Amino acid sequence: MKIDIDELSPVQRKIRVELPADTVAKEFTHAYKNLGQRVQVKGFRNGKIPRSVLQGIYGEDVKSEVRSHLVEECLGEAIKERGIQIVSRPEVEANELSEAGGFSFSAVFEIKPEIEVKDYLGLEVEKVKLTVSDDQVQDALKRIQEGHAQLEPVVGRDVVQTGDFVTLDFEGSIAGKPFAGGKGENYMIEVGSGHALPQFEQAVVGLKIGDQQTVQVSYPESYANKEIAAKTVDFAIVVREIKQKVLPTLDDEFAKDHGEHASLAELKAAIRKRLEGELKHYQDEDLKEKLVSRLIDTHSFVTPPSMVERQTRYLMERYQSQTGAQAGAEGEEAAPPMEEARKTLEGRAARQVQATLLVEKISQLEKIEITDKAVQERVDNLARASGDRAKSVREYYARPEARDDLRAQMIFDQTLGYLLERAQIKEVDSPVSKVDEPGEKS
């Protein structure tokens, strides 16, 4: 077997393989022998069918099978022999195949780039000084209090006010005609919360229990439901019940009942400890991101387009899943067009691929590895955390490619931790704290 490799770009190679006639002949002989054992031809016993008969009936099928097998086997052997890491599906061009001659083919594919990483230990990064304030502890305590609030019927008032929890029936129409999803019964809204369309919530203020009233709501052009976007809807509304939120008293009894602590002071101390843990997690993640940015900024190399495309597709799938889940929510505006979203996500994907390749190279240089036992422990933890989905999680990670992906992610995380331990960290002041903000909790 003769192998030639051409460099088309830093991340693209073309391999040409030539096979001698005797190799091709052996492959055809093997193929026809197997075929003769599998098929039945009238007038002949199994395994005794002349090759000429098989050629006449199955010749083209055998040729196609031999071509595919030769390409797959010889390409795999050539790639392994040269130590090439392929990251894309090979585009194969094969010459005509005959039983009496040699065979040649070529394949174009992408590979990981050669990266010379340098000066990656002792990187200088800035760490924002953040502390947990008493106000943040108090805000977190109030959120726990809000979570244990009770809804109780309003006494002595039958008119809706902002802040009320209102149960109502409604039926919407456009120019006198009802529309899909425009009717609801025993529908509860918190007036003024913004969970429903603000205009709808405002229209409910002042309505009286039991009276049917019609209010008009104009929907924005960007509203997710295109049937009512940019239209004025008439809603016939009947308020059935008005409730208000009653908060429990913040005292030692509250701490015992809802915080599992002996006193309110102990509950506050536990909250502070949790916030400090979240703060450390935020700071570590921020530092790791800064380390990745420094690595990307100081190393220039070509990223394989196929890797960027795969990561873009992954991000697009997540984006579509998220926007799809939000599309039906009250008050949600339409997501940006897919073309615009893809353009943004392509840039993010390219950066993620750069980070992956750089950190992977560093992990190889520093001989950072993850054992099979550690991977299994991570799978066990993921399964336990998934509750009812534990079985499906285990089945997913039983697949070799899924475990390989998990191992790669674990190596990535451990390598970043390794770099962070050896980084030169400079603390800087910041007026803004990220602790306990929405979306920052771990």
Side-chain angles (χ1 to χ4, degrees), residues 38 49 61 69 74 86 93 114 120 195 242 259 270 311 348 390 400 422:
R38 300 196 315 266
I49 307 169
D61 291 338
H69 186 260
C74 296
I86 289 185
E93 289 186 1
E114 289 291 333
Y120 57 86
H195 294 154
I242 303 175
Q311 186 65 13
R348 187 181 304 171
R422 289 154 179 80

Side-chain angles (χ1 to χ4, degrees), residues 283-295:
Q283 288 179 315
D284 286 348
E285 292 304 306
D286 182 58
L287 288 171
K288 288 177 182 177
E289 178 59 30
K290 288 176 178 177
L291 284 173
V292 168
S293 294
R294 289 292 305 275
L295 288 172

Side-chain angles (χ1 to χ4, degrees), residues 50-122:
R51 177 165 170 169
S52 59
V53 173
L54 293 173
Q55 286 173 322
I57 301 173
Y58 301 104
E60 288 303 316
D61 291 338
V62 171
K63 184 183 291 187
S64 177
E65 179 185 325
V66 168
R67 181 190 295 111
S68 297
H69 186 260
L70 285 173
V71 168
E72 182 178 351
E73 186 177 67
C74 296
L75 181 58
E77 184 180 333
I79 288 170
K80 183 178 180 180
E81 180 183 311
R82 299 302 176 92
I84 301 172
Q85 284 187 296
I86 289 185
V87 296
S88 70
R89 182 185 294 275
E91 297 179 5
V92 177
E93 289 186 1
N95 293 332
E96 186 61 32
L97 176 66
S98 69
E99 297 185 27
F103 175 59
S104 63
F105 67 89
S106 65
V108 176
F109 47 81
E110 291 177 11
I111 64 170
K112 291 183 179 179
E114 289 291 333
I115 305 174
E116 183 183 353
V117 289
K118 55 185 180 180
D119 303 328
Y120 57 86
L121 295 179

Side-chain angles (χ1 to χ4, degrees), residues 83-338:
I84 301 172
Q85 284 187 296
I86 289 185
V87 296
S88 70
R89 182 185 294 275
E91 297 179 5
V92 177
E93 289 186 1
N95 293 332
E96 186 61 32
L97 176 66
S98 69
E99 297 185 27
F103 175 59
S104 63
F105 67 89
S106 65
V108 176
F109 47 81
E110 291 177 11
I111 64 170
K112 291 183 179 179
E114 289 291 333
I115 305 174
E116 183 183 353
V117 289
K118 55 185 180 180
D119 303 328
Y120 57 86
L121 295 179
L123 290 173
E124 294 183 2
V125 288
E126 292 184 347
K127 176 181 179 181
V128 178
K129 288 182 182 178
L130 297 175
T131 57
V132 176
S133 68
D134 291 342
D135 287 343
Q136 288 169 326
V137 173
Q138 192 62 32
D139 288 344
L141 181 61
K142 286 180 179 178
R143 281 191 286 278
I144 297 174
Q145 182 188 33
E146 289 276 350
H148 291 89
Q150 300 291 322
L151 294 181
E152 298 180 2
V154 172
V155 179
R157 173 168 61 84
D158 60 1
V159 176
V160 177
Q161 296 179 356
T162 298
D164 287 340
F165 288 78
V166 179
T167 301
L168 48 81
D169 300 339
F170 66 88
E171 185 169 4
S173 62
I174 302 173
K177 296 181 180 180
F179 58 91
K183 184 177 181 178
E185 295 180 349
N186 295 319
Y187 182 77
M188 178 178 281
I189 65 169
E190 181 183 1
V191 181
S193 67
H195 294 154
L197 191 71
Q199 289 188 47
F200 187 88
E201 292 184 7
Q202 293 167 9
V204 174
V205 175
L207 299 187
K208 191 175 181 182
I209 292 178
D211 290 348
Q212 177 171 317
Q213 300 185 53
T214 300
V215 298
Q216 285 191 336
V217 176
S218 297
Y219 283 80
E221 188 175 350
S222 59
Y223 195 68
N225 186 344
K226 295 305 178 185
E227 188 176 358
I228 58 177
K231 295 178 181 177
T232 298
V233 179
D234 294 318
F235 282 102
I237 299 177
V238 178
V239 175
R240 298 300 183 188
E241 189 177 29
I242 303 175
K243 290 185 176 182
Q244 60 186 355
K245 184 188 293 183
V246 178
L247 299 174
T249 302
L250 291 176
D251 54 18
D252 290 345
E253 289 303 313
F254 176 86
K256 294 174 185 178
D257 294 341
H258 305 299
E260 299 181 358
H261 294 279
S263 65
L264 187 61
E266 281 191 15
L267 176 57
K268 288 182 178 180
I271 291 173
R272 181 179 295 278
K273 184 176 180 180
R274 173 179 66 81
L275 294 182
E276 288 172 345
E278 293 175 2
L279 172 60
K280 185 179 185 309
H281 173 77
Y282 162 77
Q283 288 179 315
D284 286 348
E285 292 304 306
D286 182 58
L287 288 171
K288 288 177 182 177
E289 178 59 30
K290 288 176 178 177
L291 284 173
V292 168
S293 294
R294 289 292 305 275
L295 288 172
I296 291 174
D297 291 342
T298 54
H299 293 83
S300 179
F301 57 92
V302 178
T303 53
S306 61
M307 292 185 70
V308 176
E309 176 58 26
R310 278 197 301 274
Q311 186 65 13
T312 300
R313 286 202 303 268
Y314 168 72
L315 295 178
M316 283 293 293
E317 287 172 4
R318 287 183 56 188
Y319 172 78
Q320 289 172 320
S321 176
Q322 292 168 356
T323 54
Q326 295 170 355
E330 289 287 346
E332 283 291 338
E333 296 189 356
M338 285 299 168

